[in-house]
Amino acid sequence: MNTAARTGLYGAALAATFAAAYGLGATAGPLGGGADTPRHGTHQGKTVTDHDGRHTARTAALPGGLQVSQDGYTLDLRTPRVTAGRETPLRFVIRDSAGKAVTDYTEAHDEDLHLVLASRDLNTFRHLHPALGADGTWSVPVDLPAAGDYRVFADFAPARKGAGALTLGADLAVTGPYRPRALPPRKTTAEVDGYTVTLEGRLTAGTTSGLRLVVAKDGRPVTDLEPYLGAYGHLVVLRSGDLAYLHVHPEGEPGDGTTRPGPGVSFTATAPSDGSYRLFLDFKHRGTVRTAAFTVHTSPAGAATGHTEPHATGGTGGTGHTEPGGHTGSGHGGHP
């Protein structure tokens, strides 16, 4: 979108422009597609084959959320635009290769499907759990505070035999007066509702990294975190720019005999490239889920950085939201 458009108002005409642009992106297919060339395009995690039948090197799978369709499944966003500051039902359908709505899912982290919404500038974040209708339509009310471009992520696993976990993404236009916002600055602590969350560890491009987030309340370590989504915390990591969605795994789980309920919540993650990332930690304490957000910058694998943050050790890891300027607020994204 050009500068003139960004300094104007999001209105009906601009919403129509968004819709046209998003429609073009959906129909254009993966980057590099088009007329057949001497080699096939890149296939996710599969061997690329020349036209003469020779095999070439295997390619790495794309990060999650960059595609609206993958492995025969498509995210059909039935609500392509909403108005800033107005609660609106957001509806979507997951369709199989035959175009039929998927109604049977494998539960993961206590839910059949996790829905994440994030603004392109990564200042606003929502982690929600919509309700599934009998016809296969998912629905959840959303109220987004600022106009702009957003990305919708559906994280799920179809129950069909042999189907794996998928994260599909689609663009959402939020109309209203638009004010550009910069990526929140890098910091290793976040304040939310009297809680202080400290980030230890770092992301390194192409290498599995340990991240530990330590929760304190009024200066005292929190040692009685409550289980949320099958762990003592849930972490979403998004890459600035294209909003690639990283799968992050908690270490341990409540009731396993070794994982403590805080103050440290530990995860492992792999950054696919050098760059800037936003980390969103959901944690539950005293019956409320809160979100702490951080901006981090990676360095290439093996590079000397002089970084002084301690590496993550031990422990393990909610629904919430992040507002403009990186300030975190409370929220709950359970079923409507």
Side-chain angles (χ1 to χ4, degrees), residues 54-89:
R54 292 180 300 174
H55 295 295
T56 59
R58 293 179 65 86
T59 60
L62 289 174
L66 296 181
Q67 301 181 99
V68 70
S69 295
Q70 182 183 339
D71 297 344
Y73 293 92
T74 298
L75 170 57
D76 180 6
L77 186 60
R78 310 302 294 169
T79 310
R81 67 186 61 85
V82 298
T83 301
R86 181 185 301 173
E87 185 173 276
T88 306

Side-chain angles (χ1 to χ4, degrees), residues 40-63:
H40 290 296
T42 300
H43 297 268
Q44 279 207 45
K46 297 180 180 180
T47 303
V48 178
T49 306
D50 294 345
H51 279 183
D52 60 8
R54 292 180 300 174
H55 295 295
T56 59
R58 293 179 65 86
T59 60
L62 289 174

Side-chain angles (χ1 to χ4, degrees), residues 72-286:
Y73 293 92
T74 298
L75 170 57
D76 180 6
L77 186 60
R78 310 302 294 169
T79 310
R81 67 186 61 85
V82 298
T83 301
R86 181 185 301 173
E87 185 173 276
T88 306
L90 183 72
R91 297 185 176 91
F92 63 95
V93 178
I94 303 298
R95 300 193 183 278
D96 62 18
S97 57
K100 296 181 179 180
V102 178
T103 58
D104 197 9
Y105 295 82
T106 300
E107 184 177 288
H109 299 292
D110 294 343
E111 298 286 346
D112 283 346
L113 183 144
H114 298 265
L115 183 71
V116 168
L117 284 78
S119 58
R120 282 282 175 183
D121 57 27
L122 292 176
N123 280 269
T124 300
F125 172 85
R126 297 285 190 274
H127 178 182
L128 307 169
H129 300 115
L132 178 62
D135 64 349
T137 300
W138 292 92
S139 180
V140 64
V142 299
D143 186 352
L144 301 172
D149 300 331
Y150 285 69
R151 190 72 172 169
V152 175
F153 302 93
D155 190 341
F156 64 96
R160 190 189 72 181
K161 184 177 181 180
L166 294 170
T167 302
L168 302 179
D171 289 322
L172 173 71
V174 180
T175 63
Y178 178 77
R179 295 180 179 84
R181 296 174 295 175
L183 182 72
R186 172 181 173 179
K187 61 179 181 178
T188 57
T189 60
E191 303 287 339
V192 51
D193 295 346
Y195 292 83
T196 300
V197 183
T198 302
L199 171 65
E200 300 176 353
R202 65 188 181 195
L203 285 175
T204 302
T207 301
T208 299
S209 305
L211 301 172
R212 185 170 185 256
L213 296 107
V214 182
V215 183
K217 170 70 171 172
D218 299 327
R220 297 181 179 180
V222 174
T223 58
D224 58 345
L225 291 172
E226 299 163 19
Y228 178 69
L229 302 178
Y232 288 120
H234 189 277
L235 185 65
V236 171
V237 181
L238 299 174
R239 181 169 61 188
S240 178
D242 62 359
L243 271 62
Y245 184 105
L246 277 61
H247 284 279
V248 184
H249 304 283
E251 296 181 1
E253 60 184 25
D256 63 8
T258 60
T259 302
R260 297 180 179 180
V265 186
S266 293
F267 303 86
T268 57
T270 302
S273 68
D274 191 18
S276 299
Y277 293 79
R278 283 283 277 171
L279 281 62
F280 302 94
L281 173 72
D282 295 333
F283 65 95
K284 186 176 181 180
H285 188 237
R286 297 178 181 175

